[in-house]
Amino acid sequence: MPPALKRILKIFLIALALLLVSAALFSYYVLLTPNISLLKREQPFVFVATGSVYDEVLASLDTSVAMKSKFTFGLTAGLLNYPERVRAGRYKIYSGISNLALLKLLRSGKQTPVNLVFNSTRTKEQFAERISEQLEAKYDTMLQLLNDKEFLSSYGLNPHTALTLFIPNTYEFFWNTSSKGFFYRMKKEHDTFWNEERKQKAAALGLSEKEVTVVASIVEQETQGNDEKPILAGVYLNRLRKNMKLDADPTLIFALGDYTIKRVLNEHKKIDSPYNTYKNNGLPPGPICIPSIASIDAVLNRVPHNYLYFCAKDDFSGYHVFASTYAQHQINARRFHSALNRRGIK
């Protein structure tokens, strides 16, 4: 090989080597160098809303992370064709993640599920708020479905019984679940909960699943003592069997919509509402809260007894004293009212 050609080949190989090294360094800098840091370590998630475009993803990122170089992030996004492959979801990230790792995660759709929880929920408004705080499902949409007669009828429900669909527990959901998708999943969970054993117990009581839930919702608001719930449930079932009014204070509070009431008075009992169990016989048309599983099972496994009345204990322990006769109940009630007066509770 002529010396001149050797020199040209040597120069070419050196240039090629420099080019490859430069390309490798540039790729490392753009793709693999840590570029992302969390703004809040306790919230290491990026949320990509359904229907988002690339610019909206960038705006979402701005609320949760800081980038050393938005230019290199945008360059990497282009190389991976991410703007054409945006996928909704909730993605867990960490400080020091590279452009390549983050974009591969966002493009994959491999989001981190939400452990959704709802309990101690009294109203549809409160329930819709709880769900919308944890999922992408919007508050207004959720509340609208909870009051939509046509939609609810497809689940065998109406606006009064809508909350009987939901069984309090911890459920794993993808964040971008829609309101209707949430209902669909909850119907499956409801049907799993109401297995053959529970259905048979409800039938033995002469109650439907919804009616059991209504009774359980009253029991839920009467006591927090799970050990007392089966006894208290037995009182309400005894009154129903004898066609007595339930005279349940929590139903009045629900009808009034004032959950600050600590002492139900005669004036409260005058409210005209289907939830006023001092005026109306039988069960109210729907639950007054979403009862816990413990309360539902307390109704299904109620303790058989002859009690028809109960009153809070005057030691304010949260427990109750029970009575089979009205005369004994009056004695118990006077004792409790005296305790209320001593404490100045109105």
Side-chain angles (χ1 to χ4, degrees):
M1 180 181 295
L5 186 57
K6 284 184 178 181
R7 284 196 299 274
I8 293 173
L9 181 59
K10 185 178 181 180
I11 293 170
F12 172 77
L13 290 174
I14 292 172
L16 180 61
L18 290 173
L19 181 62
L20 290 173
V21 170
S22 298
L25 291 173
F26 179 75
S27 296
Y28 177 79
Y29 173 68
V30 172
L31 301 175
L32 303 175
T33 300
N35 188 43
I36 311 295
S37 59
L38 297 175
L39 292 177
K40 297 180 180 179
R41 286 189 171 274
E42 67 276 13
Q43 294 178 334
F45 295 99
V46 171
F47 295 87
V48 179
T50 299
S52 290
V53 297
Y54 177 66
D55 285 345
E56 290 170 322
V57 175
L58 289 178
S60 178
L61 285 169
D62 281 341
T63 66
S64 54
V65 305
M67 295 184 189
K68 293 178 182 177
S69 171
K70 289 188 177 182
F71 171 75
T72 60
F73 182 83
L75 191 59
T76 307
L79 290 171
L80 294 179
N81 198 29
Y82 176 67
E84 306 301 321
R85 299 183 181 182
V86 173
R87 301 182 70 175
R90 170 182 180 262
Y91 300 94
K92 188 173 184 178
I93 61 172
Y94 55 89
S95 277
I97 192 171
S98 68
N99 292 325
L100 181 62
L102 176 55
L103 283 159
K104 285 178 70 174
L105 174 64
L106 295 177
R107 195 177 71 163
S108 72
K110 293 179 181 178
Q111 56 179 302
T112 301
V114 173
N115 288 323
L116 183 141
V117 179
F118 56 87
N119 48 35
S120 303
T121 307
R122 280 176 154 163
T123 67
K124 287 184 280 189
E125 290 79 9
Q126 189 180 57
F127 182 70
E129 184 176 5
R130 290 266 175 92
I131 302 307
S132 64
E133 286 173 349
Q134 299 175 77
L135 299 179
E136 187 183 17
K138 298 290 187 277
Y139 169 84
D140 290 343
T141 305
M142 182 66 68
L143 188 58
Q144 185 271 326
L145 291 179
L146 288 167
N147 290 295
D148 187 325
K149 292 181 181 179
E150 184 176 353
F151 173 78
L152 291 172
S153 67
S154 67
Y155 286 88
L157 302 168
N158 62 51
H160 284 295
T161 61
L163 292 184
T164 64
L165 179 66
F166 309 107
I167 308 297
N169 214 327
T170 300
Y171 299 100
E172 196 172 83
F173 271 90
F174 284 128
W175 173 77
N176 57 317
T177 300
S178 67
S179 296
K180 288 187 176 181
F182 174 75
F183 267 84
Y184 181 77
R185 165 74 181 284
M186 285 294 95
K187 178 65 166 65
K188 286 187 172 183
E189 298 292 347
H190 173 277
D191 292 348
T192 298
F193 173 81
W194 280 102
N195 55 30
E196 198 58 38
E197 182 182 1
R198 285 191 172 98
K199 287 180 179 179
Q200 289 177 1
K201 287 181 177 181
L205 295 173
L207 300 176
S208 68
E209 297 165 22
K210 295 182 186 68
E211 288 171 332
V212 169
T213 302
V214 172
V215 176
S217 74
I218 300 173
V219 171
E220 179 85 8
Q221 293 304 313
E222 287 283 15
T223 181
Q224 296 303 307
N226 286 340
D227 54 337
E228 186 183 51
K229 287 177 179 179
I231 304 172
L232 205 147
V235 174
Y236 283 126
L237 293 174
N238 286 346
R239 293 180 74 88
L240 282 173
R241 190 175 67 253
K242 290 179 175 290
N243 200 31
M244 297 173 66
K245 292 184 177 66
L246 295 185
D247 291 354
D249 289 356
T251 65
L252 280 182
I253 293 172
F254 179 83
L256 292 162
D258 183 356
Y259 300 104
T260 65
I261 294 173
K262 294 182 179 179
R263 187 173 184 175
V264 171
L265 306 174
N266 286 330
E267 63 188 66
H268 296 140
K269 299 174 184 178
K270 297 176 183 177
I271 185 173
D272 185 17
S273 167
Y275 289 88
N276 184 347
T277 56
Y278 280 87
K279 276 190 174 184
N280 305 298
N281 279 78
L283 293 172
I288 60 170
C289 70
I290 297 179
S292 64
I293 290 175
S295 292
I296 295 173
D297 282 342
V299 176
L300 294 175
N301 299 288
R302 59 87 177 84
V303 172
H305 53 62
N306 295 320
Y307 298 138
L308 292 172
Y309 308 93
F310 63 89
C311 177
K313 286 187 174 182
D314 61 355
D315 62 0
F316 295 91
S317 62
Y319 282 84
H320 298 79
V321 288
F322 298 88
S324 300
T325 67
Y326 186 63
Q328 183 59 51
H329 173 63
Q330 284 183 306
I331 294 172
N332 297 336
R334 281 196 293 270
R335 187 180 297 121
F336 178 63
H337 290 151
S338 295
L340 287 174
N341 291 335
R342 286 195 299 271
R343 295 198 178 195
I345 299 175
K346 298 181 180 179

mmCIF file of all heavy atoms in Angstrom, residues 162-184:
data_model
loop_
_atom_site.group_PDB
_atom_site.id
_atom_site.type_symbol
_atom_site.label_atom_id
_atom_site.label_comp_id
_atom_site.label_asym_id
_atom_site.label_seq_id
_atom_site.Cartn_x
_atom_site.Cartn_y
_atom_site.Cartn_z
ATOM 1 N N ALA A 162 -77.616 3.254 46.132
ATOM 2 C CA ALA A 162 -76.356 3.232 45.369
ATOM 3 C C ALA A 162 -75.162 2.810 46.216
ATOM 4 O O ALA A 162 -74.311 2.020 45.774
ATOM 5 C CB ALA A 162 -76.103 4.611 44.749
ATOM 6 N N LEU A 163 -75.081 3.290 47.446
ATOM 7 C CA LEU A 163 -73.901 3.018 48.268
ATOM 8 C C LEU A 163 -73.851 1.586 48.785
ATOM 9 O O LEU A 163 -72.824 1.167 49.336
ATOM 10 C CB LEU A 163 -73.833 4.002 49.444
ATOM 11 C CG LEU A 163 -73.561 5.466 49.077
ATOM 12 C CD1 LEU A 163 -73.427 6.323 50.330
ATOM 13 C CD2 LEU A 163 -72.312 5.614 48.205
ATOM 14 N N THR A 164 -74.936 0.814 48.612
ATOM 15 C CA THR A 164 -74.889 -0.590 49.047
ATOM 16 C C THR A 164 -73.980 -1.422 48.146
ATOM 17 O O THR A 164 -73.634 -2.549 48.491
ATOM 18 C CB THR A 164 -76.295 -1.230 49.046
ATOM 19 O OG1 THR A 164 -76.814 -1.263 47.706
ATOM 20 C CG2 THR A 164 -77.251 -0.462 49.937
ATOM 21 N N LEU A 165 -73.593 -0.878 47.003
ATOM 22 C CA LEU A 165 -72.717 -1.602 46.077
ATOM 23 C C LEU A 165 -71.303 -1.749 46.630
ATOM 24 O O LEU A 165 -70.597 -2.703 46.301
ATOM 25 C CB LEU A 165 -72.659 -0.857 44.736
ATOM 26 C CG LEU A 165 -71.764 -1.463 43.643
ATOM 27 C CD1 LEU A 165 -72.321 -2.811 43.185
ATOM 28 C CD2 LEU A 165 -71.646 -0.506 42.457
ATOM 29 N N PHE A 166 -70.888 -0.833 47.507
ATOM 30 C CA PHE A 166 -69.483 -0.713 47.861
ATOM 31 C C PHE A 166 -69.175 -1.367 49.214
ATOM 32 O O PHE A 166 -69.795 -1.050 50.223
ATOM 33 C CB PHE A 166 -69.078 0.759 47.866
ATOM 34 C CG PHE A 166 -69.464 1.465 46.592
ATOM 35 C CD1 PHE A 166 -70.520 2.371 46.571
ATOM 36 C CD2 PHE A 166 -68.814 1.172 45.407
ATOM 37 C CE1 PHE A 166 -70.896 2.994 45.390
ATOM 38 C CE2 PHE A 166 -69.182 1.795 44.223
ATOM 39 C CZ PHE A 166 -70.228 2.702 44.214
ATOM 40 N N ILE A 167 -68.203 -2.254 49.198
ATOM 41 C CA ILE A 167 -67.764 -2.958 50.402
ATOM 42 C C ILE A 167 -66.423 -2.376 50.834
ATOM 43 O O ILE A 167 -65.438 -2.471 50.096
ATOM 44 C CB ILE A 167 -67.601 -4.467 50.134
ATOM 45 C CG1 ILE A 167 -68.859 -5.057 49.485
ATOM 46 C CG2 ILE A 167 -67.249 -5.199 51.418
ATOM 47 C CD1 ILE A 167 -70.106 -4.986 50.323
ATOM 48 N N PRO A 168 -66.339 -1.749 52.008
ATOM 49 C CA PRO A 168 -65.076 -1.121 52.427
ATOM 50 C C PRO A 168 -63.947 -2.130 52.548
ATOM 51 O O PRO A 168 -64.089 -3.172 53.185
ATOM 52 C CB PRO A 168 -65.417 -0.529 53.797
ATOM 53 C CG PRO A 168 -66.894 -0.393 53.802
ATOM 54 C CD PRO A 168 -67.409 -1.541 52.993
ATOM 55 N N ASN A 169 -62.853 -1.829 51.916
ATOM 56 C CA ASN A 169 -61.680 -2.682 51.956
ATOM 57 C C ASN A 169 -60.533 -1.908 51.315
ATOM 58 O O ASN A 169 -60.701 -0.738 50.950
ATOM 59 C CB ASN A 169 -61.933 -3.999 51.220
ATOM 60 C CG ASN A 169 -61.194 -5.160 51.860
ATOM 61 O OD1 ASN A 169 -60.105 -4.993 52.398
ATOM 62 N ND2 ASN A 169 -61.792 -6.347 51.819
ATOM 63 N N THR A 170 -59.405 -2.534 51.152
ATOM 64 C CA THR A 170 -58.304 -1.944 50.389
ATOM 65 C C THR A 170 -58.241 -2.655 49.049
ATOM 66 O O THR A 170 -58.123 -3.879 48.992
ATOM 67 C CB THR A 170 -56.967 -2.104 51.127
ATOM 68 O OG1 THR A 170 -57.049 -1.451 52.400
ATOM 69 C CG2 THR A 170 -55.837 -1.476 50.326
ATOM 70 N N TYR A 171 -58.351 -1.875 47.971
ATOM 71 C CA TYR A 171 -58.391 -2.436 46.625
ATOM 72 C C TYR A 171 -57.244 -1.869 45.794
ATOM 73 O O TYR A 171 -56.912 -0.693 45.899
ATOM 74 C CB TYR A 171 -59.717 -2.092 45.934
ATOM 75 C CG TYR A 171 -60.931 -2.631 46.643
ATOM 76 C CD1 TYR A 171 -61.697 -1.809 47.469
ATOM 77 C CD2 TYR A 171 -61.328 -3.953 46.488
ATOM 78 C CE1 TYR A 171 -62.810 -2.287 48.119
ATOM 79 C CE2 TYR A 171 -62.451 -4.439 47.129
ATOM 80 C CZ TYR A 171 -63.193 -3.613 47.949
ATOM 81 O OH TYR A 171 -64.306 -4.097 48.593
ATOM 82 N N GLU A 172 -56.675 -2.723 44.957
ATOM 83 C CA GLU A 172 -55.603 -2.288 44.063
ATOM 84 C C GLU A 172 -56.217 -1.845 42.731
ATOM 85 O O GLU A 172 -56.883 -2.624 42.056
ATOM 86 C CB GLU A 172 -54.612 -3.424 43.841
ATOM 87 C CG GLU A 172 -53.295 -2.970 43.245
ATOM 88 C CD GLU A 172 -52.264 -4.083 43.204
ATOM 89 O OE1 GLU A 172 -52.308 -4.880 42.237
ATOM 90 O OE2 GLU A 172 -51.440 -4.167 44.137
ATOM 91 N N PHE A 173 -55.985 -0.582 42.392
ATOM 92 C CA PHE A 173 -56.524 0.002 41.157
ATOM 93 C C PHE A 173 -55.407 0.678 40.375
ATOM 94 O O PHE A 173 -54.463 1.214 40.973
ATOM 95 C CB PHE A 173 -57.563 1.081 41.485
ATOM 96 C CG PHE A 173 -58.970 0.591 41.619
ATOM 97 C CD1 PHE A 173 -59.449 0.175 42.845
ATOM 98 C CD2 PHE A 173 -59.827 0.564 40.529
ATOM 99 C CE1 PHE A 173 -60.754 -0.269 42.990
ATOM 100 C CE2 PHE A 173 -61.131 0.127 40.655
ATOM 101 C CZ PHE A 173 -61.598 -0.290 41.887
ATOM 102 N N PHE A 174 -55.540 0.699 39.069
ATOM 103 C CA PHE A 174 -54.713 1.600 38.282
ATOM 104 C C PHE A 174 -55.290 3.005 38.425
ATOM 105 O O PHE A 174 -56.518 3.196 38.397
ATOM 106 C CB PHE A 174 -54.680 1.181 36.817
ATOM 107 C CG PHE A 174 -53.804 -0.016 36.562
ATOM 108 C CD1 PHE A 174 -54.284 -1.118 35.871
ATOM 109 C CD2 PHE A 174 -52.496 -0.042 37.023
ATOM 110 C CE1 PHE A 174 -53.478 -2.228 35.652
ATOM 111 C CE2 PHE A 174 -51.677 -1.141 36.807
ATOM 112 C CZ PHE A 174 -52.174 -2.241 36.122
ATOM 113 N N TRP A 175 -54.408 3.985 38.586
ATOM 114 C CA TRP A 175 -54.843 5.356 38.844
ATOM 115 C C TRP A 175 -55.779 5.886 37.772
ATOM 116 O O TRP A 175 -56.733 6.611 38.069
ATOM 117 C CB TRP A 175 -53.613 6.265 38.961
ATOM 118 C CG TRP A 175 -53.971 7.716 39.056
ATOM 119 C CD1 TRP A 175 -54.455 8.379 40.142
ATOM 120 C CD2 TRP A 175 -53.921 8.681 37.993
ATOM 121 N NE1 TRP A 175 -54.700 9.697 39.847
ATOM 122 C CE2 TRP A 175 -54.373 9.906 38.522
ATOM 123 C CE3 TRP A 175 -53.522 8.621 36.656
ATOM 124 C CZ2 TRP A 175 -54.440 11.063 37.750
ATOM 125 C CZ3 TRP A 175 -53.595 9.770 35.892
ATOM 126 C CH2 TRP A 175 -54.053 10.973 36.438
ATOM 127 N N ASN A 176 -55.548 5.523 36.511
ATOM 128 C CA ASN A 176 -56.340 6.095 35.416
ATOM 129 C C ASN A 176 -57.664 5.352 35.194
ATOM 130 O O ASN A 176 -58.232 5.388 34.107
ATOM 131 C CB ASN A 176 -55.530 6.123 34.114
ATOM 132 C CG ASN A 176 -55.010 4.752 33.703
ATOM 133 O OD1 ASN A 176 -54.523 3.998 34.528
ATOM 134 N ND2 ASN A 176 -55.100 4.438 32.416
ATOM 135 N N THR A 177 -58.181 4.720 36.225
ATOM 136 C CA THR A 177 -59.493 4.073 36.153
ATOM 137 C C THR A 177 -60.578 5.141 36.053
ATOM 138 O O THR A 177 -60.581 6.118 36.802
ATOM 139 C CB THR A 177 -59.736 3.206 37.404
ATOM 140 O OG1 THR A 177 -58.727 2.204 37.480
ATOM 141 C CG2 THR A 177 -61.106 2.549 37.361
ATOM 142 N N SER A 178 -61.529 4.934 35.147
ATOM 143 C CA SER A 178 -62.632 5.880 34.975
ATOM 144 C C SER A 178 -63.716 5.626 36.016
ATOM 145 O O SER A 178 -63.713 4.600 36.707
ATOM 146 C CB SER A 178 -63.239 5.726 33.580
ATOM 147 O OG SER A 178 -63.882 4.457 33.458
ATOM 148 N N SER A 179 -64.661 6.543 36.119
ATOM 149 C CA SER A 179 -65.768 6.379 37.065
ATOM 150 C C SER A 179 -66.573 5.118 36.754
ATOM 151 O O SER A 179 -66.905 4.334 37.653
ATOM 152 C CB SER A 179 -66.680 7.612 37.025
ATOM 153 O OG SER A 179 -65.982 8.760 37.457
ATOM 154 N N LYS A 180 -66.874 4.900 35.487
ATOM 155 C CA LYS A 180 -67.641 3.708 35.111
ATOM 156 C C LYS A 180 -66.809 2.445 35.320
ATOM 157 O O LYS A 180 -67.337 1.403 35.728
ATOM 158 C CB LYS A 180 -68.117 3.817 33.671
ATOM 159 C CG LYS A 180 -69.242 4.831 33.485
ATOM 160 C CD LYS A 180 -69.821 4.792 32.067
ATOM 161 C CE LYS A 180 -71.005 5.746 31.960
ATOM 162 N NZ LYS A 180 -71.612 5.725 30.605
ATOM 163 N N GLY A 181 -65.512 2.538 35.063
ATOM 164 C CA GLY A 181 -64.630 1.411 35.312
ATOM 165 C C GLY A 181 -64.576 1.069 36.785
ATOM 166 O O GLY A 181 -64.507 -0.112 37.174
ATOM 167 N N PHE A 182 -64.641 2.079 37.622
ATOM 168 C CA PHE A 182 -64.657 1.872 39.068
ATOM 169 C C PHE A 182 -65.925 1.127 39.482
ATOM 170 O O PHE A 182 -65.876 0.167 40.267
ATOM 171 C CB PHE A 182 -64.565 3.214 39.787
ATOM 172 C CG PHE A 182 -64.706 3.127 41.274
ATOM 173 C CD1 PHE A 182 -63.669 2.640 42.055
ATOM 174 C CD2 PHE A 182 -65.880 3.523 41.891
ATOM 175 C CE1 PHE A 182 -63.801 2.539 43.430
ATOM 176 C CE2 PHE A 182 -66.018 3.433 43.267
ATOM 177 C CZ PHE A 182 -64.979 2.945 44.037
ATOM 178 N N PHE A 183 -67.077 1.553 38.970
ATOM 179 C CA PHE A 183 -68.339 0.878 39.274
ATOM 180 C C PHE A 183 -68.284 -0.592 38.849
ATOM 181 O O PHE A 183 -68.711 -1.485 39.582
ATOM 182 C CB PHE A 183 -69.506 1.570 38.564
ATOM 183 C CG PHE A 183 -70.192 2.608 39.389
ATOM 184 C CD1 PHE A 183 -69.704 3.901 39.462
ATOM 185 C CD2 PHE A 183 -71.340 2.301 40.107
ATOM 186 C CE1 PHE A 183 -70.331 4.874 40.220
ATOM 187 C CE2 PHE A 183 -71.978 3.262 40.869
ATOM 188 C CZ PHE A 183 -71.483 4.552 40.932
ATOM 189 N N TYR A 184 -67.763 -0.828 37.659
ATOM 190 C CA TYR A 184 -67.705 -2.185 37.117
ATOM 191 C C TYR A 184 -66.874 -3.088 38.030
ATOM 192 O O TYR A 184 -67.272 -4.208 38.347
ATOM 193 C CB TYR A 184 -67.107 -2.145 35.708
ATOM 194 C CG TYR A 184 -67.012 -3.495 35.037
ATOM 195 C CD1 TYR A 184 -68.129 -4.110 34.484
ATOM 196 C CD2 TYR A 184 -65.781 -4.157 34.955
ATOM 197 C CE1 TYR A 184 -68.038 -5.353 33.875
ATOM 198 C CE2 TYR A 184 -65.673 -5.396 34.354
ATOM 199 C CZ TYR A 184 -66.805 -5.991 33.806
ATOM 200 O OH TYR A 184 -66.707 -7.220 33.210
#
